[in-house]
Amino acid sequence: MRKRPELKNPGGSAEEEEPKQSERRRKARGRRFIMTEEAYQEKYHRAFVKIDLSALCDNVKNIRRLVPAQSRLMAIVKADGYGHGAVPVARAFDELSENGRPVVDAYGVAMVEEGLELRRAGVTKPILVLGHSVPEQAGEAVRSSLSLTVFDYKLAQALSREAVRQERTAHIHIKLDTGMSRIGYLGTECDIAEITQIQSLPGIELEGLFSHFAKSDETDKTAAKEQFEKFRCFSKRLSGAGIRPHIRHIANSAAIIDMPETSLDMVRAGIALYGLYPSEEVDTARLLLRPALEFKSRVSWVKEIPEGTAVGYGGTFTAERPMRLATIPVGYADGYPRALSNCGRVLIGGRTARIVGRICMDQFMADVTELPQVRPGDMVTLAGRDGEDFLSVEEPAGLAGSFHYEFVCGITKRVPRIYYKNGVPVSVRTEFPERQ
């Protein structure tokens, strides 16, 4: 993306924070994170998500190496960085450079509020709001130098008015619908006429044109190739009308892996950043990824029950023999799918324990009859590695009739995120007041 002036006050606040207050906060943050891994895990004993920043950085660098040198890389951090934390992810990526240039050139979010969160955190690189925005958001978007997706003349007018009023430039990317049937222009002659009008509005810089693949993660690339051809044809028609955005982009994670010819001026890396492949049908040998997220808890209670005992709401499981059960203090309010009732598994001490009974809002039970060593306080892995076994997020997501994107995005904010770098905990994010 075209380089913009660095934002001195990216959040758009009228006043700068007092230097002394800022210094106090910096020192407080530093004290907060001087803890051992054991202390972190003991403090957040009910449940926590472990985020490996080193894995994230390795993933994005591996992605960058697949992308042509002349193409920019946009990191998609919408949905709170796919549940990993948009701000910590962006800060980690901002530190990366290779061959004298940043690894990540820009960030993509779904809505204006997500872009403003990054600006308030000090992120100064270009940010594109990929989803729908309304005219009422034009003022804060221009003020915070957020690029908006435009497929509606009214929004463009509102951005133009705000750009003129604020004496700034409103950066926009035109969205083209080539096959998703979601949002975007369809590529008619009327659309070209409207885009021409938009480009002529005062204060508007039409910096980008983009679309999104619907089937690039499938083995059969016929539909994806058809979409790409539609995109290229429309781009040529716009050029013929005097409209030449300097950033054309359509490639998502799957296309980065399997369709390098679609890289154009910029690619948008999403799920692959987080160490997860878009699907089982892409060529995983082309890109080495490491999952960055692990979901952990601890056994809260262990009990023995006699044959014939019903377990959980509705008594959907009945013990056919004397059993030993472990209660785990995680439930669907934490984003652990209720659909895993009576069919999922967890790891305790590197061994499988099957879920029995319905998953509750805050708790569930697992069969540890064959694991006599299990005691309250033992670590439980809901997703991630435990000893020699590895429980991928794809497994519980698939059993729940979902998929891995939804699983990681669905882990709620009441579950603390502990961030690791080079195997050492460096920070934590929790929605609740810190215990002293």
Side-chain angles (χ1 to χ4, degrees):
M1 281 185 175
R2 188 173 297 174
K3 187 170 177 62
R4 306 181 193 180
E6 188 157 314
L7 298 173
K8 293 183 179 179
N9 191 5
S13 173
E15 297 180 358
E16 295 286 343
E17 184 180 45
E18 290 292 332
K20 290 183 179 179
Q21 182 182 4
S22 177
E23 179 67 12
R24 286 197 299 271
R25 289 182 179 178
R26 185 189 65 76
K27 289 181 178 179
R29 286 197 298 267
R31 288 195 300 271
R32 178 180 175 187
F33 301 142
I34 301 175
M35 294 174 65
T36 64
E37 180 174 16
E38 292 75 13
Y40 266 121
Q41 294 179 1
E42 181 63 30
K43 186 173 186 179
Y44 304 105
H45 57 86
R46 190 188 76 86
F48 63 91
V49 166
K50 179 178 178 179
I51 305 293
D52 186 347
L53 294 174
S54 298
L56 286 164
C57 291
D58 287 345
N59 293 336
V60 74
K61 286 189 287 188
N62 288 341
I63 293 167
R64 174 71 256 182
R65 291 167 192 145
L66 272 187
V67 178
Q70 70 274 15
S71 300
R72 299 167 177 83
L73 173 64
M74 173 178 282
I76 307 302
V77 293
K78 63 181 180 176
D80 195 31
Y82 291 53
H84 293 65
V87 170
V89 170
R91 284 176 172 164
F93 289 169
D94 272 353
E95 296 177 359
L96 301 177
S97 63
E98 282 192 344
N99 302 318
R101 63 172 289 182
V103 172
V104 171
D105 299 289
Y107 295 101
V109 296
M111 55 191 190
V112 168
E113 291 83 357
E114 291 178 335
L116 295 176
E117 179 188 25
L118 293 177
R119 289 292 187 232
R120 285 193 292 267
V123 174
T124 60
K125 287 179 180 175
I127 297 172
L128 173 61
V129 178
L130 296 159
H132 170 62
S133 304
V134 295
E136 290 76 13
Q137 294 175 304
E140 55 190 355
V142 172
R143 187 178 307 113
S144 297
S145 193
L146 301 179
S147 298
L148 295 194
T149 293
V150 170
F151 51 92
D152 172 64
Y153 189 69
K154 289 182 179 179
L155 176 59
Q157 280 183 311
L159 288 166
S160 173
R161 285 193 296 268
E162 281 297 329
V164 171
R165 186 181 69 82
Q166 297 183 32
E167 298 182 341
R168 293 172 179 253
T169 299
H171 302 271
I172 67 170
H173 288 230
I174 296 294
K175 179 65 180 291
L176 178 64
D177 180 4
T178 58
M180 280 286 289
S181 299
R182 196 165 58 176
I183 59 173
Y185 288 110
L186 290 170
T188 66
E189 291 301 321
C190 289
D191 291 341
I192 292 177
E194 184 166 293
I195 296 168
T196 301
Q197 285 183 289
I198 289 172
Q199 181 176 247
S200 67
L201 290 170
I204 293 289
E205 180 185 345
L206 201 166
E207 67 180 4
L209 173 72
F210 75 109
S211 191
H212 190 60
F213 284 123
K215 296 184 177 183
S216 59
D217 60 349
E218 297 181 0
T219 303
D220 184 353
K221 304 296 183 189
T222 303
K225 289 178 179 178
E226 289 174 357
Q227 277 192 262
F228 186 50
E229 187 58 29
K230 282 183 183 179
F231 183 74
R232 291 175 63 185
C233 287
F234 188 68
S235 179
K236 288 178 182 177
R237 289 166 60 203
L238 284 179
S239 181
I243 303 166
R244 300 179 181 86
H246 60 277
I247 307 174
R248 297 164 303 143
H249 49 110
I250 188 171
N252 55 8
S253 290
I256 292 170
I257 297 170
D258 281 350
M259 302 176 70
E261 71 276 11
T262 66
S263 296
L264 300 177
D265 304 306
M266 184 169 74
V267 300
R268 303 188 304 268
I271 193 71
L273 295 172
Y274 307 98
L276 303 173
Y277 292 99
S279 75
E280 295 178 349
E281 297 182 45
V282 300
D283 186 0
T284 58
R286 281 181 49 81
L287 178 62
L288 177 64
L289 298 175
R290 282 197 292 143
L293 179 148
E294 294 186 318
F295 194 177
K296 303 281 188 174
S297 182
R298 289 183 181 274
V299 174
S300 62
W301 195 244
V302 178
K303 64 168 66 64
E304 295 183 358
I305 61 172
E307 179 182 347
T309 302
V311 177
Y313 284 119
T316 60
F317 178 87
T318 301
E320 297 179 349
R321 56 172 178 156
M323 295 181 68
R324 194 165 180 264
L325 300 185
T327 300
I328 297 155
V330 171
Y332 57 79
D334 302 294
Y336 197 65
R338 188 172 182 265
L340 292 174
S341 301
N342 290 308
C343 67
R345 71 175 181 122
V346 296
L347 299 176
I348 306 176
R351 297 180 63 187
T352 289
R354 298 288 173 185
I355 295 171
V356 294
R358 283 185 181 156
I359 290 174
C360 313
M361 183 179 289
D362 315 296
Q363 304 176 77
F364 67 89
M365 282 69 74
D367 178 8
V368 294
T369 307
E370 305 301 323
L371 305 176
Q373 76 282 4
V374 171
R375 297 287 184 271
D378 285 354
M379 188 69 72
V380 180
T381 299
L382 288 75
R385 181 164 297 284
D386 186 350
E388 296 300 313
D389 204 348
F390 178 74
L391 183 53
S392 71
V393 297
E394 288 88 348
E395 181 179 325
L399 288 171
S402 179
F403 75 146
H404 50 309
Y405 289 70
E406 185 176 17
F407 186 92
V408 293
C409 291
I411 301 173
T412 63
K413 289 190 175 182
R414 81 174 191 174
V415 180
R417 271 67 167 170
I418 303 176
Y419 294 90
Y420 286 71
K421 192 169 186 179
N422 299 322
V424 177
V426 293
S427 64
V428 65
R429 191 186 72 177
T430 176
E431 295 301 297
F432 301 107
E434 287 288 278
R435 293 188 291 120
Q436 300 299 321

